[in-house]
Amino acid sequence: MILAVTTVVALAGLWELYRLVWTSAGWTWPFVVNDTSMPHLWTIAKAFSQPAQVNQPSLAWILLQKSLFTAREAAFGFAIGAIVGFAIGLVLVHSRLLQRGFLPYIVMSQTIPILAVAPMVVVWVNPKLPAGFQGWGAVAVIAAYLTFFPVAINSLRGLQSADPRALELMRSYAGGRWHALWKVRVPTSLPYVFAAFKIAATASVVGAIIGELPSGLQSGLGGAIINFNQYYSIEPQELWATNIVAAALGVVFFLIVVAAEKLVVRRAPEHVG
Amino acid sequence: MSTAQQVVEIAGVTKTFAQGNVTALQDIDLELEQGEFVSLIGPSGCGKSTLLRVIGDLVEPTSGRVTINGKPAHQARLDRDYGIVFQDAVLFDWRTVAKNIALPLEMLGWDRAKRKARVDEMIELVELAGFENHHPWQLSGGMQQRVSIARALSFEPALLLMDEPFGALDEMTRERLNLELLSIWQQLRSTVVFVTHSISEAVFLSTRVVVMSPRPGRIAGIVPIDLPYPRTVVTREEPRFFELVTQVRELLRLRGEHLLPEEAAAATGETS
């Protein structure tokens, strides 16, 4: 905790120091430092307390609501991606043939930019969704598209990493595939799965924000980013504020996974991390 | 041919691995009676671990047959007629000591109370009282191996298969565990097949030592160990102990591709 606070203070100091040195020396490399390229931290902080547009609540309040909207998309996206990814791992670990057949396509799915996939997902998924899920539901699916991949790859790797003698042991107890899976393979895979969950947690937030762009949704952080982008040259502090909130949301997701891992995974200390 | 007394009967077992065309075992014949402690000893590649796995139906022989308690090895495995211990304890980090020992009991479908009662007994047997709720990484290598032995014996199998169980331990721990194992064996009167690299360990523990030779893996000779039980620390200092150790060592030294099992047996005056 002390470390976290110290780091934040140090980074803030570095930001202002860099500004001070570059502006007073008049250096223009790698970019010109001014209030547009690097607004003062207090300008950004002040922006939170003021409305971005007249007759609106403060930016902090607006961003909180938008981040809750995005968080819901990301949370559902994470859940879908985690379940689908782990299921893919469970299926593939039992068949070398399926691994060879499917893994290349799973890898290929991630080489397609998410922005290119998003419009199709919106068109395909939205009409199928019940009323309460319209709009944001499709974005959750886009977020899931980003999150299932690390989970699938790491789950497969984790499920494969079972000690061969542990599997022999299960055979000696006349245990079948099911026993080997639930008593050995799945528990062995958990540290790998949680490593993937940590990647997926932040990816789900990024996926949700990006997914909002082609969906034309204004209620989330993605909408806010697009909006404040257009006014960056006039009021850069609002985009910076939004970025800070988006980053914080990613950190919250990450910390939830870390907490869940502490509860679920029991491992020798040297294996943790 | 097989009597009620026979726990393990190996008849004409040959195992060739398709990869590399290696003959791991060739024409192995061996019978173990109820309550025997038989060690398999030999250099690396003599197939002693493979033979152990053939007995446990973890590796299928290319030809020949293995009978456990009067039934085929496969059926014996399904009936959980044996417990197995490996060189590494192979404990599950996510389970406590008590839950590691209870693993086979869970698979047998025992209820919680019955499992607890048996686990308590086993903890007592391997002298781990107070460590029930520890996790494996909190135990020394010797203690981990005791948990592994308790797990293998928890469902009271007639046969105990041990694959170099003390090979990774330091000499002092190893000698202490040798004594503990003998005491457990004498309490339970089970039959043990014990794979080892150590001549003195094999002689100290066994009723018979089976010496194997490599390429192809076969039995070079069998040395009956006539040291009286209970064996103690003093046993290792008796002249007869050294004579027997020498006999086994000679058999191991004489092994060679050109040497037939009968010749090796003749060379040491023992019959297989």
Side-chain angles (χ1 to χ4, degrees):
Chain A
M1 191 63 206
I2 298 165
L3 188 70
V5 172
T6 319
T7 311
V8 168
V9 171
L11 284 175
L14 218 58
W15 174 277
E16 289 298 334
L17 184 70
Y18 184 94
R19 264 191 66 99
L20 185 71
V21 171
W22 256 252
T23 43
S24 47
W27 292 337
T28 57
W29 189 91
F31 55 86
V32 180
V33 173
N34 55 30
D35 285 345
T36 306
S37 64
M38 286 179 79
H40 277 297
L41 287 177
W42 49 84
T43 316
I44 298 171
K46 210 173 126 201
F48 276 111
S49 64
Q50 290 174 336
Q53 288 168 38
V54 280
N55 299 328
Q56 268 197 348
S58 69
L59 183 64
W61 179 249
I62 296 223
L63 286 181
L64 179 70
Q65 288 185 316
K66 287 184 185 295
S67 57
L68 286 179
F69 184 87
T70 301
R72 181 175 57 173
E73 296 163 345
F76 273 79
F78 177 85
I80 298 167
I83 292 166
V84 170
F86 193 68
I88 289 173
L90 280 179
V91 171
L92 293 191
V93 75
H94 287 111
S95 166
R96 285 212 152 271
L97 194 72
L98 283 180
Q99 271 176 50
R100 275 202 220 128
F102 275 100
L103 266 184
Y105 295 101
I106 291 172
V107 173
M108 210 188 283
S109 76
Q110 299 301 304
T111 63
I112 303 167
I114 190 81
L115 272 174
V117 181
M120 284 98 101
V121 175
V122 173
V123 170
W124 291 336
V125 173
N126 252 340
K128 310 276 189 304
L129 290 173
F133 291 79
Q134 284 289 336
W136 70 270
V139 179
V141 172
I142 295 166
Y145 186 86
L146 271 191
T147 54
F148 92 92
F149 179 71
V151 179
I153 296 295
N154 266 29
S155 298
L156 178 60
R157 177 82 185 76
L159 292 165
Q160 284 172 332
S161 70
D163 184 342
R165 283 151 322 152
L167 296 173
E168 269 192 327
L169 197 66
M170 299 311 280
R171 258 169 65 77
S172 85
Y173 302 143
R177 268 185 178 205
W178 202 244
H179 277 121
L181 190 65
W182 289 113
K183 299 230 183 252
V184 180
R185 286 193 190 275
V186 169
T188 310
S189 75
L190 285 183
Y192 294 83
V193 172
F194 270 92
F197 281 175
K198 288 176 193 167
I199 301 168
T202 49
S204 68
V205 174
V206 173
I209 289 171
I210 296 180
E212 286 171 6
L213 310 184
S215 318
L217 284 175
Q218 290 299 311
S219 322
L221 289 174
I225 286 171
I226 285 288
N227 189 26
F228 294 136
N229 238 334
Q230 291 162 357
Y231 302 103
Y232 187 81
S233 53
I234 315 160
E235 289 178 334
Q237 65 273 19
E238 279 153 8
L239 186 63
W240 281 102
T242 311
N243 289 350
I244 289 168
V245 169
L249 186 61
V251 171
V252 168
F253 268 62
F254 183 83
L255 290 179
I256 290 171
V257 171
V258 170
E261 185 184 30
K262 284 223 170 89
L263 286 177
V264 173
V265 181
R266 291 247 163 251
R267 274 300 188 290
E270 70 264 27
H271 291 237
V272 174
Chain B
M1 184 163 163
S2 93
T3 66
Q5 288 286 84
Q6 254 148 7
V7 176
V8 180
E9 192 189 334
I10 302 163
V13 161
T14 296
K15 174 69 190 175
T16 44
F17 287 106
Q19 266 181 336
N21 199 21
V22 179
T23 306
L25 296 169
Q26 192 168 50
D27 288 325
I28 303 288
D29 291 298
L30 186 67
E31 288 173 14
L32 268 76
E33 281 174 16
Q34 154 65 28
E36 269 200 286
F37 195 124
V38 170
S39 288
L40 307 177
I41 192 168
S44 304
C46 72
K48 53 193 190 299
S49 287
T50 305
L51 181 55
L52 194 84
R53 280 169 169 74
V54 169
I55 296 172
D57 187 44
L58 298 173
V59 167
E60 197 153 337
T62 311
S63 63
R65 75 195 149 76
V66 177
T67 313
I68 313 282
N69 292 331
K71 49 198 166 185
H74 180 68
Q75 188 57 45
R77 176 171 69 80
L78 296 183
D79 291 350
R80 292 143 173 140
D81 277 5
Y82 72 87
I84 191 163
V85 176
F86 298 101
Q87 176 166 357
D88 300 315
V90 197
L91 301 177
F92 297 155
D93 274 354
W94 55 90
R95 286 172 171 257
T96 60
V97 165
K99 287 206 162 166
N100 265 290
I101 296 173
L103 174 71
L105 307 178
E106 284 171 23
M107 296 179 62
L108 282 162
W110 289 24
D111 65 44
R112 190 179 290 267
K114 209 173 154 199
R115 290 203 302 258
K116 168 113 178 48
R118 175 57 56 79
V119 166
D120 287 346
E121 270 177 54
M122 299 317 296
I123 293 266
E124 196 72 30
L125 184 73
V126 297
E127 294 168 27
L128 279 173
F131 292 95
E132 293 87 342
N133 296 320
H134 282 58
H135 281 271
W137 71 84
Q138 297 168 309
L139 306 181
S140 69
M143 289 163 91
Q144 289 183 10
Q145 204 51 283
R146 296 218 291 262
V147 177
S148 174
I149 291 169
R151 178 179 60 190
L153 294 172
S154 63
F155 51 103
E156 298 185 315
L159 179 65
L160 181 59
L161 304 178
M162 306 185 88
D163 190 7
E164 296 185 46
F166 309 134
L169 304 176
D170 64 83
E171 184 121 13
M172 278 172 302
T173 308
R174 183 179 197 150
E175 290 193 357
R176 200 177 64 241
L177 283 176
N178 281 172
L179 284 168
E180 283 179 25
L181 177 60
L182 277 186
S183 124
I184 290 169
W185 168 66
Q186 280 176 314
Q187 282 176 58
L188 302 179
R189 302 305 311 169
S190 45
T191 309
V192 182
V193 184
F194 189 96
V195 169
T196 180
H197 269 120
S198 161
I199 300 170
S200 66
E201 184 176 60
V203 171
F204 180 75
L205 292 171
S206 313
T207 55
R208 281 192 293 162
V209 174
V210 175
V211 179
M212 297 183 67
S213 66
R215 288 175 297 273
R218 54 190 169 182
I219 294 175
I222 297 179
V223 182
I225 308 297
D226 50 13
L227 297 162
Y229 292 96
R231 294 176 189 168
T232 63
V233 191
V234 188
T235 309
R236 289 185 197 271
E237 292 157 12
E238 283 171 17
R240 184 63 187 147
F241 178 79
F242 290 111
E243 282 173 34
L244 289 163
V245 164
T246 308
Q247 243 183 62
V248 172
R249 184 175 292 128
E250 287 292 302
L251 261 177
L252 283 166
R253 194 172 60 79
L254 286 171
R255 72 181 162 73
E257 273 85 323
H258 62 284
L259 200 69
L260 294 168
E262 303 87 272
E263 293 170 338
T268 57
E270 293 291 339
T271 51
S272 53

